[in-house]
Amino acid sequence: MRVAVIGGGVAGAELVRTALPGPLDITLIEPKKQIELQALYPEYLAGLTRIQDLAAPLAPFCERVGATFLNDRALRLEEKAVVCEHGQVEFDFAVVAAGASQNYFGIKGQEHTFSINTLEEAKRARRFVEDRNPERIMIMGSGLTGVEAACVLAESLDASIYIIEARERILPQFSPNTSALIEKALSKKGVNILTSAQVREVREDCILFADSNGTCLDCDMAIWTAGVKPSSFIEGLSLPKKKGWVLVDPFLLARDDVFAVGDCAWIEVDGRLATKTGLEAERQAKHVARNLTHLAENRALERYSVRASTDSQVALISLGCDCAVGVVGKMCIGAPTRLIYSLKSWIDKSFIRRFK
Ligand SMILES: Cc1cc2nc3c(=O)[nH]c(=O)nc-3n(C[C@H](O)[C@H](O)[C@H](O)COP(=O)(O)OP(=O)(O)OC[C@H]3O[C@@H](n4cnc5c(N)ncnc54)[C@H](O)[C@@H]3O)c2cc1C
């Protein structure tokens, strides 16, 4: 059974790793030569992690497990083929695992911001930190990425770090007690927190807010972490969609012969909407690997069950200084501890080692 997997990130690469060896003939399509782990970008930005610890080359990995690696970009999905920039891959089943893009929400002055959504962007941001030694860094968005970046930068640089959130508290997608705990940890590190602060425009040397006073804060470096959106590739696919994401059924199928997993998919099963996290991407990938094997062996498909949902988050949040907190639903594991940091660090680094 020929399977084309589009995207060699957390979900795509993990699917290949779990499905093989087995009855499937898999081609992994990925424009980059390596799998890159976004979870370590905040540490990379602060100079605390090396590229070799967060990336692994895909060609030798595919060769080892018996998959075909196609270093190419998928352009569109046809009836039984993925059309790429340099050719096409015919399939019996396809899996869309193409991730998400940074969402700037149409903000003015996007060109004056840095992002850490891709390794290329994280490298550009790191170079700027090294070359320019910025004294005032504004991080826009206080989700996991914004919070982790603020913590590690506060610790490793002699700079004033600000975190700017449009809503009334940081980590708004988590429970109020988690927000309060993380806010305390950020303040202890000297991070300035601005909530209910809507950015109107980013200029070369300042940030303009959308308040009635037209407040403007000086800034040497603006880092945008606020939100993701479907990529142009996902936008162009004629598959069922919800809010632009590929909509799947409880078996993670978007159409009879196409699965979708990870950040590019809208996965809502039994009223629980999956979060766009590495934890979920990895579980979904394993599930589709199993369902593909069932299909090859004429067995029934299994329903997916969401673990980390938007109304009950599961996360390990790194707070720098070798500390992290664990969140499971409304429960937030106490004071930031080194043990939880070690666990997070071990999970992230051992994930990449699987592909080496
Ligand atoms: C800075 C940062 C920190 C994070 N920290 C954490 C964390 O601590 N814990 C956690 O659980 N989650 C974390 N996340 C979220 C997590 O990284 C993502 O949820 C996860 O990577 C999603 O996996 P994915 O495979 O769907 O997408 P990705 O890992 O982004 O992979 C998508 C792949 O598809 C490829 N692709 C795109 N378009 C095409 C195309 N047209 N053709 C072929 N290939 C294509 C891309 O090149 C990419 O390699 C973090 C995210 C960021 C940005």
Side-chain angles (χ1 to χ4, degrees):
M1 200 171 88
R2 295 163 309 168
V3 178
V5 178
I6 305 169
V10 169
E14 180 63 7
L15 187 151
V16 174
R17 194 188 70 84
T18 12
L20 296 176
L24 311 175
D25 170 9
I26 303 184
T27 301
L28 178 64
I29 306 164
E30 165 62 54
K32 291 186 290 203
K33 290 194 184 316
Q34 54 185 17
I35 172 178
E36 296 162 354
L37 189 64
Q38 292 174 324
L40 288 169
Y41 294 173
E43 289 197 0
Y44 172 77
L45 173 67
L48 304 173
T49 293
R50 302 164 308 165
I51 303 261
Q52 56 264 44
D53 294 326
L54 59 79
L58 285 167
F61 156 69
C62 284
E63 197 181 332
R64 199 172 62 248
V65 297
T68 304
F69 177 54
L70 189 64
N71 189 203
D72 205 347
R73 180 178 296 280
L75 296 178
R76 58 183 191 276
L77 204 54
E78 291 193 341
E79 202 43 39
K80 280 290 173 199
V82 181
V83 179
C84 302
E85 273 173 355
H86 303 106
Q88 67 174 42
V89 179
E90 292 183 359
F91 64 79
D92 298 305
F93 284 89
V95 183
V96 184
S101 303
Q102 188 81 71
N103 193 349
Y104 291 91
F105 302 100
I107 195 90
K108 224 171 138 190
Q110 174 191 323
E111 66 279 15
H112 300 307
T113 65
F114 291 85
S115 153
I116 49 171
N117 200 48
T118 66
L119 184 55
E120 278 319 301
E121 288 158 344
K123 278 182 180 169
R124 188 172 79 89
R126 176 70 201 148
R127 274 197 302 274
F128 186 87
V129 168
E130 282 173 340
D131 296 349
R132 306 282 188 90
N133 213 2
E135 285 176 9
R136 278 166 73 88
I137 302 178
M138 307 268 172
I139 298 171
M140 286 158 284
S142 72
L144 281 179
T145 305
V147 163
E148 292 194 348
C151 285
V152 284
L153 287 175
E155 220 169 74
S156 54
L157 302 181
D158 187 18
S160 301
I161 312 290
Y162 288 75
I163 193 158
I164 300 168
E165 171 57 55
R167 290 164 70 179
E168 63 286 352
R169 61 183 170 91
I170 60 159
L171 285 173
Q173 67 276 46
F174 285 79
S175 68
N177 62 326
T178 302
S179 296
L181 184 97
I182 304 288
E183 188 168 330
K184 216 165 122 194
L186 283 167
S187 301
K188 242 173 147 179
K189 286 176 190 297
V191 174
N192 304 285
I193 301 168
L194 307 179
T195 49
S196 304
Q198 188 110 35
V199 172
R200 171 182 294 164
E201 184 181 344
V202 181
R203 296 188 179 156
E204 206 176 339
D205 53 1
C206 72
I207 289 181
L208 193 62
F209 290 87
D211 56 17
S212 50
N213 305 325
T215 307
C216 196
L217 286 184
D218 289 347
C219 159
D220 300 324
M221 182 182 196
I223 303 177
W224 187 269
T225 69
V228 288
K229 63 172 186 179
S231 65
S232 52
F233 168 68
I234 295 297
E235 274 173 4
L237 293 178
S238 353
L239 291 173
K241 302 271 176 68
K242 181 139 181 196
K243 298 191 177 171
W245 307 104
V246 180
L247 179 66
V248 294
D249 69 10
F251 306 104
L252 306 186
L253 276 165
R255 83 177 192 210
D256 284 354
D257 57 352
V258 178
F259 291 89
V261 284
D263 284 5
C264 66
W266 181 281
I267 297 179
E268 195 169 1
V269 184
D270 300 328
R272 305 190 68 210
L273 176 62
T275 55
K276 298 202 181 298
T277 56
L279 171 87
E280 268 298 313
E282 197 183 328
R283 289 184 76 246
Q284 293 154 16
K286 287 190 166 85
H287 191 85
V288 169
R290 221 170 21 249
N291 268 348
L292 282 164
T293 308
H294 286 353
L295 282 165
E297 294 167 348
N298 280 322
R299 286 195 280 147
L301 295 182
E302 290 176 29
R303 284 170 69 91
Y304 182 67
S305 148
V306 174
R307 163 86 53 83
S309 62
T310 49
D311 60 355
S312 181
Q313 303 265 349
V314 180
L316 295 174
I317 309 171
S318 174
L319 297 176
C321 202
D322 288 356
C323 282
V325 295
V327 177
V328 183
K330 293 204 165 46
M331 199 173 74
C332 180
I333 300 174
T337 68
R338 272 172 189 271
L339 185 68
I340 299 174
Y341 176 83
S342 305
L343 177 65
K344 176 166 167 52
S345 186
W346 178 82
I347 291 172
D348 291 342
K349 292 193 173 136
S350 61
F351 179 81
I352 275 298
R353 276 199 296 269
R354 294 173 195 172
F355 301 95
K356 289 193 170 168

